[in-house]
Amino acid sequence: MNRPPNVLNRLLFHPLQAVAAFVLYSVFRLLPLAAASTVGGAVCRWIGPRLRISQRAVGNLSRAFPEKTTAEIDALLVGMWDNLGRTAAEYPHLSDIDVYAPNGRVEVIGAEYVDLLRDDGKPGIFISAHLGNWEIGSLGATQRGLPVDRVYRQANNPWVERLFRRGRRAIKGALIPKGSQGARELLRSLKNGNHIGMMADQKMNDGIAVPFFGRDAMTAPAMAQMALRFDCPIVAARVERLPGVRFRLTILPPLAFTPSGDHHADIAAMMLLVNKQLESWIRDTPEQWLWLHNRWPD
């Protein structure tokens, strides 16, 4: 009698994955940050392009940059895996990164906008994308005295999920899983005057179609809906990976938007502004974005 796949996952595959993940996490924690980042990048550069899912990334890159040669697309693919491996290896060291240390690993532009949200007496929404080490943005808010309740996708493996949570302990604020229950928690957070953080670059099947790299992409409208409902600012934060295991965190002024009174049109217009901002960032450093998402319906 064959065991159902979910039983095999729970009893066999999940424990094996957890052991492997724990060993890697421990090794990266023992290494200095720079060494861990270098090793993580090297491992993913070697393994990643050989995985089947890389074909999705190649397809996305080719459609987004039709002018690039095959060699250029391949180089961006390798760069994407390098960034992903480095980011994973840096998780155990997040608590060691002082975002605002003089001459530290992070160059910060626009820290005053974090202070603005912290002190304005209103709820607020931070948005970002899977660029560079994207956790640096939330870490920067925490170290500025502003906890952020973050929306995220839980790992399928509950043991691996515990490791992710351990790496994120340095970032203050609740972790809110995606889904209907998470949506209720988001609303409750904003009603309580808190600040939330959302990755705005992921596909949502039942979202709205908004142009992104010249093609309609199914886009989650929740941030626009909540911003209009609670009259709260949307602030975009970008993380760039720099040479020498360094980063640049750029926080932009609150999104400039004047509602027209047409609720549906306002949501679409606001999300178009968001997608344009994300696209601009990604075009600047395409090798640092996570092209593995199934972002477009075609």
Side-chain angles (χ1 to χ4, degrees):
M1 179 177 177
N2 293 329
R3 292 183 180 272
N6 59 333
V7 174
L8 286 175
N9 282 338
R10 189 174 68 252
L11 298 181
L12 179 61
F13 298 126
H14 282 178
L16 290 175
Q17 290 169 353
V19 169
F22 181 79
V23 169
L24 285 173
Y25 187 97
S26 300
V27 169
F28 289 140
R29 181 58 191 160
L30 289 171
L31 291 172
L33 170 58
S37 180
T38 300
V39 171
V43 170
C44 269
R45 282 199 310 274
W46 182 70
I47 296 175
R50 293 169 168 80
L51 300 178
R52 182 180 298 179
I53 196 171
S54 281
Q55 293 308 307
R56 176 185 294 170
V58 169
N60 286 336
L61 281 161
S62 299
R63 291 184 180 94
F65 301 105
E67 74 283 1
K68 293 191 180 297
T69 65
T70 300
E72 289 172 327
I73 295 296
D74 289 343
L76 291 177
L77 177 70
V78 171
M80 179 205 73
W81 280 110
D82 176 79
N83 181 69
L84 183 58
R86 287 177 178 274
T87 299
E90 290 157 3
Y91 262 91
H93 295 277
L94 284 176
S95 60
D96 303 326
I97 298 175
D98 185 344
V99 173
Y100 301 100
N103 303 313
R105 291 195 178 275
V106 186
E107 171 191 343
V108 182
I109 301 171
E112 65 271 21
Y113 299 117
V114 180
D115 298 344
L116 177 68
L117 263 69
R118 183 193 62 207
D119 300 333
D120 66 3
K122 299 168 59 176
I125 301 173
F126 279 102
I127 63 169
S128 192
H130 290 88
L131 279 162
N133 185 332
W134 49 87
E135 300 289 355
I136 297 292
S138 298
L139 187 63
T142 284
Q143 294 180 1
R144 207 78 179 177
L146 182 62
V148 177
D149 295 342
R150 286 148 292 145
V151 181
Y152 81 116
R153 184 186 180 281
Q154 287 180 302
N156 293 330
N157 186 327
W159 298 95
V160 174
E161 172 68 15
R162 292 183 184 182
L163 283 179
F164 279 127
R165 285 180 174 266
R166 178 182 295 182
R168 290 172 168 139
R169 283 182 303 183
I171 302 171
K172 303 301 181 184
L175 285 171
I176 300 176
K178 293 175 66 176
S180 57
Q181 177 61 33
R184 289 190 289 272
E185 290 183 40
L186 279 177
L187 291 174
R188 187 160 51 247
S189 177
L190 290 173
K191 286 179 181 177
N192 291 336
N194 297 339
H195 295 77
I196 63 173
M198 306 180 74
M199 289 293 175
D201 57 346
Q202 292 182 309
K203 178 184 177 183
M204 182 177 181
N205 290 329
D206 55 350
I208 60 175
V210 181
F212 187 54
F213 279 91
R215 294 183 289 153
D216 279 347
M218 300 309 292
T219 302
M223 68 191 71
Q225 293 168 339
M226 290 185 291
L228 291 169
R229 176 174 175 177
F230 292 96
D231 187 28
C232 61
I234 293 179
V235 170
R238 169 192 189 181
V239 181
E240 299 168 78
R241 184 176 294 280
L242 304 178
V245 194
R246 296 181 62 254
F247 310 91
R248 180 184 295 119
L249 169 60
T250 304
I251 304 107
L252 299 183
L255 185 71
F257 186 81
T258 303
S260 68
D262 184 330
H263 188 67
H264 293 292
D266 286 343
I267 289 171
M270 190 176 289
M271 295 314 304
L272 179 60
L273 288 176
V274 169
N275 275 8
K276 284 183 176 180
Q277 182 63 73
L278 298 182
E279 181 177 334
S280 173
W281 290 348
I282 294 165
R283 287 187 180 277
D284 281 349
T285 56
E287 74 284 358
Q288 294 187 22
W289 191 52
L290 195 60
W291 291 92
L292 300 174
H293 292 153
N294 188 16
R295 192 66 180 84
W296 293 273
D298 57 347

